[in-house]
Amino acid sequence: MKVIVCDNYDEVSEKATQLVEAQILENDHSVLGLATGSTPLGLYERLVEGVTLRGIAYKNVCTINLDEYLGLEKEHPESYRTFMSVNLFDKIDISTENTYIPDGTFDTAEEECLRYEQVIDSVGPIDLQILGIGKNGHIGFNEPGTDSKSLTHVVELVASTRESNARFFPSIDEVPTYAITMGIKSILKSKKIILMAAGKNKAEAVKTLLSKDVNESFPASILWNHDNVTLIVDRDAYELVKS
Ligand code: PGA
């Protein structure tokens, strides 16, 4: 795992932008694995700027997102499809049919999981996967204890994740209880992975990750089994590593 320590969140976003744009310049048919959450927002803002400032073209790029809530319509303001449209897809020249996000509205979610894993295999392999990290080490919605061989699957969200995401909903009761997520094995199929972490609230998670104890009780630690992972972290999130 390569570790890049940045001064602040802006620099984390900037570094990630450089790596994503380099990937697209190397292959304009790249497949990007994308994440939702607060962490990649600065990256997405810069990718939008890159279209006009640096002439980056998304016409032939495909994207595959990590996860989606179960039970939310695509148009729901808090669906991950809406998040991606608002923060990235509507602002770049990407074709909607090239953007893949699990469909959380299927009655038969298990079938949607199988279909989505086939998308990962047929559209992919993902050239470059962007990840955030949860305070408990989750990646995607793969909570502690998830099988490291898991493919796309349905998860029941743990209380801490629902509480953390409640800030986006009118009340915690409206935060969905289930989600579909790429599994850990699905994520590890990616050729390259960028893990982004910023802020003091991620410091414990970064410290645990960098202790190199590979353990399913801390899902991000399984990334040590992949040979091309770059952790981009700011000083606040790295502060416990030094001590
Ligand atoms: P955040 O979430 O980017 O909103 O901190 C990351 C995660 O929980 O995976």
PDB file of all heavy atoms in Angstrom, residues 198-212:
ATOM      1  N   ALA A 198      -9.918  11.670   5.255  1.00  0.00           N
ATOM      2  CA  ALA A 198      -9.609  13.029   5.708  1.00  0.00           C
ATOM      3  C   ALA A 198     -10.387  13.335   6.983  1.00  0.00           C
ATOM      4  O   ALA A 198     -11.525  12.889   7.163  1.00  0.00           O
ATOM      5  CB  ALA A 198      -9.964  14.047   4.627  1.00  0.00           C
ATOM      6  N   GLY A 199      -9.729  14.093   7.874  1.00  0.00           N
ATOM      7  CA  GLY A 199     -10.407  14.559   9.089  1.00  0.00           C
ATOM      8  C   GLY A 199     -10.082  13.693  10.293  1.00  0.00           C
ATOM      9  O   GLY A 199      -9.799  12.498  10.184  1.00  0.00           O
ATOM     10  N   LYS A 200     -10.133  14.359  11.471  1.00  0.00           N
ATOM     11  CA  LYS A 200      -9.783  13.676  12.720  1.00  0.00           C
ATOM     12  C   LYS A 200     -10.686  12.485  13.007  1.00  0.00           C
ATOM     13  O   LYS A 200     -10.277  11.536  13.672  1.00  0.00           O
ATOM     14  CB  LYS A 200      -9.878  14.675  13.880  1.00  0.00           C
ATOM     15  CG  LYS A 200      -8.754  15.712  13.896  1.00  0.00           C
ATOM     16  CD  LYS A 200      -8.892  16.613  15.113  1.00  0.00           C
ATOM     17  CE  LYS A 200      -8.013  17.849  15.043  1.00  0.00           C
ATOM     18  NZ  LYS A 200      -6.589  17.567  15.084  1.00  0.00           N
ATOM     19  N   ASN A 201     -11.934  12.545  12.515  1.00  0.00           N
ATOM     20  CA  ASN A 201     -12.839  11.433  12.833  1.00  0.00           C
ATOM     21  C   ASN A 201     -12.455  10.141  12.100  1.00  0.00           C
ATOM     22  O   ASN A 201     -13.042   9.098  12.351  1.00  0.00           O
ATOM     23  CB  ASN A 201     -14.304  11.816  12.573  1.00  0.00           C
ATOM     24  CG  ASN A 201     -14.590  12.057  11.117  1.00  0.00           C
ATOM     25  OD1 ASN A 201     -13.673  12.372  10.335  1.00  0.00           O
ATOM     26  ND2 ASN A 201     -15.845  11.926  10.706  1.00  0.00           N
ATOM     27  N   LYS A 202     -11.475  10.220  11.205  1.00  0.00           N
ATOM     28  CA  LYS A 202     -10.997   9.003  10.534  1.00  0.00           C
ATOM     29  C   LYS A 202      -9.632   8.555  11.071  1.00  0.00           C
ATOM     30  O   LYS A 202      -9.059   7.577  10.596  1.00  0.00           O
ATOM     31  CB  LYS A 202     -10.907   9.233   9.020  1.00  0.00           C
ATOM     32  CG  LYS A 202     -12.238   9.565   8.340  1.00  0.00           C
ATOM     33  CD  LYS A 202     -13.209   8.401   8.411  1.00  0.00           C
ATOM     34  CE  LYS A 202     -14.606   8.787   7.959  1.00  0.00           C
ATOM     35  NZ  LYS A 202     -14.726   9.003   6.537  1.00  0.00           N
ATOM     36  N   ALA A 203      -9.114   9.292  12.066  1.00  0.00           N
ATOM     37  CA  ALA A 203      -7.754   9.017  12.540  1.00  0.00           C
ATOM     38  C   ALA A 203      -7.606   7.610  13.121  1.00  0.00           C
ATOM     39  O   ALA A 203      -6.627   6.914  12.857  1.00  0.00           O
ATOM     40  CB  ALA A 203      -7.322  10.069  13.561  1.00  0.00           C
ATOM     41  N   GLU A 204      -8.582   7.169  13.917  1.00  0.00           N
ATOM     42  CA  GLU A 204      -8.514   5.814  14.498  1.00  0.00           C
ATOM     43  C   GLU A 204      -8.529   4.766  13.397  1.00  0.00           C
ATOM     44  O   GLU A 204      -7.791   3.783  13.444  1.00  0.00           O
ATOM     45  CB  GLU A 204      -9.714   5.575  15.437  1.00  0.00           C
ATOM     46  CG  GLU A 204      -9.543   6.096  16.841  1.00  0.00           C
ATOM     47  CD  GLU A 204      -8.453   5.349  17.634  1.00  0.00           C
ATOM     48  OE1 GLU A 204      -8.045   4.239  17.248  1.00  0.00           O
ATOM     49  OE2 GLU A 204      -7.993   5.921  18.645  1.00  0.00           O
ATOM     50  N   ALA A 205      -9.404   4.985  12.410  1.00  0.00           N
ATOM     51  CA  ALA A 205      -9.532   4.010  11.315  1.00  0.00           C
ATOM     52  C   ALA A 205      -8.224   3.922  10.526  1.00  0.00           C
ATOM     53  O   ALA A 205      -7.762   2.828  10.187  1.00  0.00           O
ATOM     54  CB  ALA A 205     -10.701   4.390  10.398  1.00  0.00           C
ATOM     55  N   VAL A 206      -7.606   5.072  10.270  1.00  0.00           N
ATOM     56  CA  VAL A 206      -6.345   5.075   9.508  1.00  0.00           C
ATOM     57  C   VAL A 206      -5.249   4.392  10.320  1.00  0.00           C
ATOM     58  O   VAL A 206      -4.462   3.601   9.791  1.00  0.00           O
ATOM     59  CB  VAL A 206      -5.955   6.524   9.116  1.00  0.00           C
ATOM     60  CG1 VAL A 206      -4.535   6.584   8.585  1.00  0.00           C
ATOM     61  CG2 VAL A 206      -6.943   7.064   8.081  1.00  0.00           C
ATOM     62  N   LYS A 207      -5.234   4.662  11.621  1.00  0.00           N
ATOM     63  CA  LYS A 207      -4.230   4.019  12.480  1.00  0.00           C
ATOM     64  C   LYS A 207      -4.416   2.497  12.448  1.00  0.00           C
ATOM     65  O   LYS A 207      -3.444   1.740  12.294  1.00  0.00           O
ATOM     66  CB  LYS A 207      -4.401   4.535  13.915  1.00  0.00           C
ATOM     67  CG  LYS A 207      -3.426   3.963  14.892  1.00  0.00           C
ATOM     68  CD  LYS A 207      -3.721   4.494  16.292  1.00  0.00           C
ATOM     69  CE  LYS A 207      -2.936   3.735  17.333  1.00  0.00           C
ATOM     70  NZ  LYS A 207      -3.376   4.045  18.680  1.00  0.00           N
ATOM     71  N   THR A 208      -5.648   2.028  12.581  1.00  0.00           N
ATOM     72  CA  THR A 208      -5.910   0.580  12.551  1.00  0.00           C
ATOM     73  C   THR A 208      -5.506  -0.003  11.202  1.00  0.00           C
ATOM     74  O   THR A 208      -4.853  -1.050  11.134  1.00  0.00           O
ATOM     75  CB  THR A 208      -7.409   0.306  12.824  1.00  0.00           C
ATOM     76  OG1 THR A 208      -7.772   0.949  14.040  1.00  0.00           O
ATOM     77  CG2 THR A 208      -7.698  -1.176  12.914  1.00  0.00           C
ATOM     78  N   LEU A 209      -5.862   0.698  10.123  1.00  0.00           N
ATOM     79  CA  LEU A 209      -5.500   0.208   8.780  1.00  0.00           C
ATOM     80  C   LEU A 209      -3.991   0.049   8.654  1.00  0.00           C
ATOM     81  O   LEU A 209      -3.499  -0.973   8.159  1.00  0.00           O
ATOM     82  CB  LEU A 209      -6.023   1.206   7.725  1.00  0.00           C
ATOM     83  CG  LEU A 209      -5.606   0.928   6.286  1.00  0.00           C
ATOM     84  CD1 LEU A 209      -6.274  -0.345   5.766  1.00  0.00           C
ATOM     85  CD2 LEU A 209      -5.962   2.116   5.391  1.00  0.00           C
ATOM     86  N   LEU A 210      -3.250   1.064   9.103  1.00  0.00           N
ATOM     87  CA  LEU A 210      -1.796   1.058   8.901  1.00  0.00           C
ATOM     88  C   LEU A 210      -1.060   0.175   9.913  1.00  0.00           C
ATOM     89  O   LEU A 210       0.145  -0.008   9.813  1.00  0.00           O
ATOM     90  CB  LEU A 210      -1.263   2.484   8.896  1.00  0.00           C
ATOM     91  CG  LEU A 210      -1.751   3.301   7.684  1.00  0.00           C
ATOM     92  CD1 LEU A 210      -1.171   4.703   7.695  1.00  0.00           C
ATOM     93  CD2 LEU A 210      -1.417   2.610   6.357  1.00  0.00           C
ATOM     94  N   SER A 211      -1.817  -0.425  10.862  1.00  0.00           N
ATOM     95  CA  SER A 211      -1.192  -1.413  11.743  1.00  0.00           C
ATOM     96  C   SER A 211      -0.990  -2.734  11.002  1.00  0.00           C
ATOM     97  O   SER A 211      -0.327  -3.644  11.507  1.00  0.00           O
ATOM     98  CB  SER A 211      -2.054  -1.640  12.995  1.00  0.00           C
ATOM     99  OG  SER A 211      -3.205  -2.381  12.643  1.00  0.00           O
ATOM    100  N   LYS A 212      -1.559  -2.837   9.800  1.00  0.00           N
ATOM    101  CA  LYS A 212      -1.380  -3.997   8.902  1.00  0.00           C
ATOM    102  C   LYS A 212      -1.914  -5.295   9.488  1.00  0.00           C
ATOM    103  O   LYS A 212      -1.448  -6.376   9.108  1.00  0.00           O
ATOM    104  CB  LYS A 212       0.092  -4.177   8.514  1.00  0.00           C
ATOM    105  CG  LYS A 212       0.677  -3.017   7.748  1.00  0.00           C
ATOM    106  CD  LYS A 212       2.010  -3.408   7.154  1.00  0.00           C
ATOM    107  CE  LYS A 212       2.735  -2.190   6.640  1.00  0.00           C
ATOM    108  NZ  LYS A 212       4.092  -2.477   6.195  1.00  0.00           N
TER     109      LYS A 212
END
